[in-house]
């Protein structure tokens, strides 16, 4: 293990002020910048490049599971939003309303979509007539607007980028299977692309999406012990279809009502990456989504042959990874700190002595381990190390989550953990909304999910003591 | 040349009603669908897949010319929009205004961006301090809103998808060079990707973008002889920078004002593709952006071995192009018409007799030419034919444009052409706004551009007869 000296001095230390550390990383790593509209941010090139990599990989996973991209309008007429009762109740309080086009007052107000179920339903009604028209497996990459009171870059913004999948099926079974399938795609993505372990489960009724019969979720644990809901997948039953009068003629010549799902992930995932892998030196990026996977830094670059060699390595590596070289006149120390702060997974150093020995020095961002690698083995070693960085990040996050997950059997125990030990709390629950409300009020925790992987940790509700057969994850959350 | 029989009967013929033909193609080929909000459309999977292909290729061209993607918010505070006088005058009459967030009235109205110059300026002011911070070469892929009165799918919609490039430079020369460079990228894209010839030129002052010192444009000619402005690139000088007080410290330690550009293309390009290449059988897609480049259709598919062979060809072709096979129970005739209507560039037919002869039949969409190709040569022949389709489409469009471009030396001549011969009119212009207005009023034509490639067709203004040294393209336009 190499030395752990602190190289970036203008980022607040995590333990001093986690929220400030987060904002420092967002700004210093040039991921995003504020604008004059509260809660709306500029996503800068480095931040947007991360989002592009997320999009590219996730989009290919959606297409591999048979989904097609579409694009719905951003405006929803008020009367359309109101068609499904639970849905409008959930969203109307937080939508932005367009009332004028130019100088003319609109006959009907339009909201900027907070989510697009109602638009998809309107469209389904136009295009679905027969069983032959089912299923439709759609997705769109757009931005949506929710007029939040408290906002933070990536984690909670009034406008955010996301993908929203919307599907419609002939049967409830098929729609339910889709809901779970897409949750698994999300979990797969978080673990195998973002190196971020997640708990898969179903939300309680209280935490469900407005209009859904069931909401599935993946929950990740951040560095500070707070949970981050990282993706959700909703099963709607036939509620929306009935409200919008969508029907299809089945093979048996009877009219039937189809079943729907929707599922979404957002630019919040960038916040999750920062708070899962980041450290006091700044960002640490999982290799698969890092805009720059390898940075080549020449040492003593004024010496003959160094810059040429750095360029040669960069050219070679560009064939197998996203690489850049920094040949600016800044000192190597400055460059080391800069690319550490930006979370570049691997640094390749090349100087006169290395050239003499036909080697280079490779340093991992995640644990600062240093390798002397023969230049002949570069193409073999780099992908191997990128894979190891990925695994290292995943294991470190998994271990932290494991260390920060507690079990509570009584209300006092739960309250004590909630007050003193940031993290997940596993506890039994009777299924009663009153107990859920009480845990929130008394201990400040909300139910994160009823995990698919249940454990037997008791038979009575942590709150009321009545019989309970569900083990839940509880916690404080972003 | 193969037979030219009409295979799709539910598309209005072009000569009967061009506007209806256009709408039929949009709907029958499932490119887009209307919504309950006037001027806002659903872009359906087939239409969106075209846009994705456009994006992918164009984005790589932007990146190859050094541009980075970012994402600005969709909202512009009224006071920000008002900072540049000409700009707000041009756009304020056609913006959508957000006045409420949830149930609360906003302190200041926000418009949904009609274009993002003001947002970029606000951001530049935050991040540009020194000559080292220049240039910034940005682009974003978003949607914008303009409250148009008359709307048509893809051609003029209230919300449309686009990319908007925004750059800022230390010198006017550099900014001017960027403006022209990006116009050339657009022209290159239209000709080499969309197989659509364009005229490159500069707009007259009257037709300039609000706030620009110069607007460059590419103009294409549609099937019906109307012009379609297909992309524009604007040079702003230092007007915006002054209005927004953006300054940088130069090497010589003096504060200087930078120079800006912006440039954009939109989903209107899909309208351009339809109206440049389409015919009475529907869509004809240029191979480079066709979602499906080759469709494999089994003939007598109930016969042993046919479906397997079709699948085998599809698997082989999937390695070199975007291919699908249609093994549905519809008749081959139905399938031929369906994929013609959808504009698939090449159709591969494979039946028992073909299998016997180790061959397949390939039919081009653009001219219906038929080829008998040995299955051993498939991988060589398909890319070659796709390239020929591209060239065929380009040449056909170029020839049509050439046949539909007229020269006028007098006002009567111009009026006669404008009334009777749809197309471009080349004519000299003195540079006087009054003459431009008169041509619009008297002959119904607008100036399309002052082309880079000037021709000497006279020395006097077509309108007033005074000395003129500029040859312009005039026409009716979308």
């Amino acid at each position: 293990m190499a030395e752990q000296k602190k190289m970036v001095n203008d980022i607040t230390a995590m333990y001093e002020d986690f929220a400030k550390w987060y904002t420092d990383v967002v700004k210093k790593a040039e991921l995003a910048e504020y604008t004059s509209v509260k809660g709306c941010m500029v996503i800068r090139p480095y931040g947007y490049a991360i989002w592009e990599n997320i999009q590219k990989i996730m989009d290919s996973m959606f297409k591999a599971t048979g989904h097609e991209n579409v694009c719905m309008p951003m405006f929803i007429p008020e009367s359309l939003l109101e068609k499904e009762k639970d849905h409008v109740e959930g969203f109307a309080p937080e939508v932005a309303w367009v009332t004028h086009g130019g100088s003319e007052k609109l006959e009907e107000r339009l909201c900027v979509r907070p989510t697009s179920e109602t638009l998809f339903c309107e469209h389904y009604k136009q295009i679905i007539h027969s069983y032959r028209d089912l299923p439709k497996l759609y997705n769109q990459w757009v931005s949506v607007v929710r007029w939040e009171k408290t906002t933070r870059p990536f984690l909670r913004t009034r406008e955010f980028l996301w993908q929203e999948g919307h599907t419609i099926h002939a049967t409830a079974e098929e729609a339910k299977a889709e809901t779970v399938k897409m949750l698994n795609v999300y979990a797969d993505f978080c673990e195998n692309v973002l190196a971020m372990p997640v708990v898969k489960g179903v939300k309680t009724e209280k935490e469900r999406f407005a209009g859904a019969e069931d909401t599935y979720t993946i929950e990740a644990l951040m560095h500070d012990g707070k949970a981050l809901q990282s993706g959700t997948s909703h099963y709607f039953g036939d509620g929306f279809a009935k409200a919008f009068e969508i029907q299809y003629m089945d093979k048996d010549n009877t009219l039937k009502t189809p079943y729907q799902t929707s599922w979404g992930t957002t630019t919040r995932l960038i916040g999750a990456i920062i708070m899962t892998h980041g450290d006091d030196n700044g960002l640490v990026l999982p290799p698969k989504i890092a805009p720059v996977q390898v940075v080549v830094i020449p040492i003593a670059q004024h010496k003959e042959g160094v810059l040429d060699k750095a360029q040669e390595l960069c050219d070679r590596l560009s064939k197998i990874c996203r690489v850049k070289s920094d040949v600016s006149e800044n000192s190597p120390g400055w460059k080391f700190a800069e690319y550490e702060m930006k979370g570049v997974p691997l640094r390749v150093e090349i100087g006169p002595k290395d050239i003499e020995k036909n080697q280079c020095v490779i340093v991992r961002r995640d644990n600062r381990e240093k390798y002397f690698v023969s230049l002949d083995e570069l193409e073999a070693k780099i992908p191997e190390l990128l894979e190891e960085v990925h695994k290292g990040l995943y294991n470190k996050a998994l271990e932290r989550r494991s260390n920060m997950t507690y079990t509570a059997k009584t209300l006092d125990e739960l309250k004590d953990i909630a007050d003193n030990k940031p993290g997940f709390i596993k506890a039994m629950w009777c299924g009663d909304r009153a107990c859920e409300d009480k845990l929130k009020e008394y201990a400040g925790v909300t139910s994160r999910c009823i995990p698919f992987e249940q454990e037997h940790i008791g038979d009575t509700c942590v709150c009321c003591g009545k019989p309970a057969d569900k083990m839940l994850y509880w916690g404080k959350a972003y």
Side-chain angles (χ1 to χ4, degrees), chain A:
Chain A
M1 191 72 110
E3 53 172 348
Q4 284 284 351
K5 89 174 157 173
K6 193 157 177 308
M7 306 200 73
V8 177
N9 295 313
D10 46 5
I11 292 177
T12 306
M14 270 191 192
Y15 73 90
E16 276 174 25
D17 184 341
F18 191 79
K20 184 143 194 331
W21 167 83
Y22 177 81
T23 315
D24 282 354
V25 172
V26 167
K27 291 199 63 162
K28 305 275 179 192
E30 299 186 347
L31 300 177
E33 192 50 81
Y34 295 100
T35 72
S36 56
V37 180
K38 181 185 152 63
C40 291
M41 61 179 176
V42 174
I43 306 183
R44 300 190 64 184
Y46 199 60
Y48 199 76
I50 295 173
W51 183 242
E52 285 183 310
N53 289 334
I54 288 175
Q55 280 190 300
K56 198 187 293 174
I57 299 172
M58 208 185 264
D59 196 70
S60 73
M61 293 170 85
F62 296 159
K63 283 176 177 155
T65 44
H67 301 86
E68 301 179 298
N69 284 337
V70 299
C71 189
M72 295 282 151
M74 68 157 79
F75 296 126
I76 307 174
E78 188 162 16
S79 56
L80 192 67
L81 187 69
E82 284 171 346
K83 278 209 171 181
E84 209 287 333
K85 203 181 124 291
D86 292 337
H87 190 67
V88 66
E89 271 179 24
F91 283 104
E94 57 175 35
V95 297
W97 289 106
V98 172
T99 56
H100 289 73
S103 56
E104 276 175 40
K105 193 169 182 229
L106 303 184
E107 281 178 30
E108 180 181 14
R109 297 200 297 178
L110 306 172
C111 79
V112 182
R113 65 182 160 221
T115 180
S116 306
E117 278 73 13
T118 53
L119 294 162
F120 275 90
C121 283
E122 183 184 53
H123 184 55
Y124 291 149
K125 193 170 161 62
Q126 290 174 315
I127 62 165
I128 289 167
H129 310 290
S130 144
Y131 69 93
R132 286 187 205 87
D133 301 324
L134 294 172
K136 294 291 183 207
L137 307 175
Y138 289 160
N139 176 64
Q140 67 175 1
W141 292 95
V142 295
S143 75
V144 289
V145 169
R146 297 177 188 177
W147 220 250
E148 307 277 1
K149 302 268 183 236
T150 317
T151 60
R152 295 178 68 189
F154 296 114
L155 297 177
R156 194 171 291 276
T157 46
R158 284 185 171 172
E159 181 188 3
F160 56 86
L161 305 187
W162 80 343
Q163 61 66 219
E164 47 180 322
H166 292 265
T167 69
I168 184 162
H169 307 262
T171 66
E173 292 61 43
E174 207 183 296
K176 280 178 191 167
E178 166 82 9
T179 317
V180 174
K181 182 202 273 181
M182 297 321 290
L183 192 82
N184 284 324
V185 165
Y186 287 159
D188 177 9
F189 179 84
C190 285
E191 303 195 345
N192 295 315
V193 178
L194 304 186
M196 180 172 81
V198 293
V199 175
K200 294 188 278 189
V202 63
K203 289 281 187 193
T204 61
E205 189 180 347
K206 181 183 176 182
E207 301 287 335
R208 244 176 235 157
F209 181 83
E213 285 196 12
D214 260 323
T215 288
Y216 296 91
T217 180
I218 47 170
E219 301 280 327
L221 195 66
M222 302 294 102
H223 233 300
D224 61 347
K226 280 166 95 171
L228 189 87
Q229 178 182 303
S230 304
T232 48
S233 184
H234 316 291
Y235 170 66
F236 290 126
D238 58 5
F240 273 95
K242 280 188 172 150
F244 284 80
E245 298 171 332
I246 306 164
Q247 289 188 310
Y248 69 96
M249 185 64 73
D250 205 354
K251 285 177 191 166
D252 63 6
N253 271 322
T254 62
L255 276 176
K256 290 183 183 160
T257 303
Y259 296 79
Q260 287 170 247
T261 84
S262 80
W263 26 276
T265 56
T266 78
T267 30
R268 182 170 237 220
L269 286 176
I270 297 176
I273 292 167
I274 300 170
M275 295 196 296
T276 299
H277 304 303
D279 64 22
D280 281 345
N281 293 314
L283 206 54
V284 180
L285 291 177
K288 290 181 190 165
I289 55 83
V292 179
Q293 297 173 308
V294 179
V295 61
V296 177
I297 296 179
I299 309 293
Q301 66 185 55
H302 58 282
K303 295 260 174 85
E304 204 190 319
V306 173
L307 284 179
D308 286 348
K309 199 64 176 180
Q311 188 56 51
E312 183 200 315
L313 297 189
C314 194
D315 290 345
R316 278 170 57 185
L317 289 175
S318 69
K319 293 184 184 101
I320 55 164
C321 65
R322 296 185 288 270
V323 61
K324 69 171 268 183
S325 61
D326 184 343
V327 298
S328 69
E329 292 186 354
N330 295 305
S331 71
W334 184 93
K335 292 177 190 175
F336 293 176
E338 173 71 8
Y339 296 101
E340 293 218 337
M341 196 257 288
K342 291 208 150 181
V344 175
L346 296 177
R347 172 173 89 221
V348 171
E349 304 169 13
I350 182 89
K353 281 179 199 158
D354 301 308
I355 295 172
E356 221 167 83
K357 294 183 193 166
N358 192 43
Q359 69 173 28
C360 66
V361 178
I362 305 183
V363 183
R364 280 169 65 164
R365 170 64 178 94
D366 63 322
N367 61 8
R368 288 247 178 81
E369 265 177 41
K370 207 171 201 171
Y371 305 80
F372 296 88
V373 174
S374 158
L375 293 185
D376 303 331
E377 287 164 18
L378 204 55
E379 279 85 355
K381 194 70 183 171
I382 291 283
E384 193 183 294
L385 282 175
L386 287 172
E387 185 57 32
E388 278 182 32
V389 170
H390 175 88
K391 282 186 199 150
L393 290 176
Y394 181 81
N395 290 334
K396 201 195 273 186
L398 190 64
E399 193 186 341
R400 190 175 62 235
R401 186 183 77 184
S402 165
N403 292 337
M404 294 175 97
T405 301
Y406 305 92
T407 301
K409 295 195 175 164
T410 67
L411 192 53
D412 285 345
E413 241 176 65
L414 187 144
K415 162 88 172 143
D416 181 54
I417 298 168
D419 287 348
N420 301 304
K421 296 173 181 167
F424 279 139
I425 307 172
K426 295 192 284 193
M428 299 303 290
W429 176 56
C430 61
D432 201 336
R433 169 75 176 259
C435 288
E436 203 178 349
D437 289 339
K438 185 166 176 187
L439 288 184
K440 164 88 176 154
E441 192 193 333
Y442 180 69
V445 296
T446 53
S447 71
R448 304 316 311 149
C449 69
I450 309 167
F452 292 165
E453 285 188 24
Q454 284 284 309
E455 292 166 54
H456 182 80
I457 58 171
D459 298 298
T460 55
C461 176
V462 71
C463 185
C464 67
K466 286 186 192 152
D469 63 358
K470 288 184 188 71
M471 190 272 282
L472 265 70
Y473 277 82
W474 304 84
K476 292 168 185 169
Y478 278 97

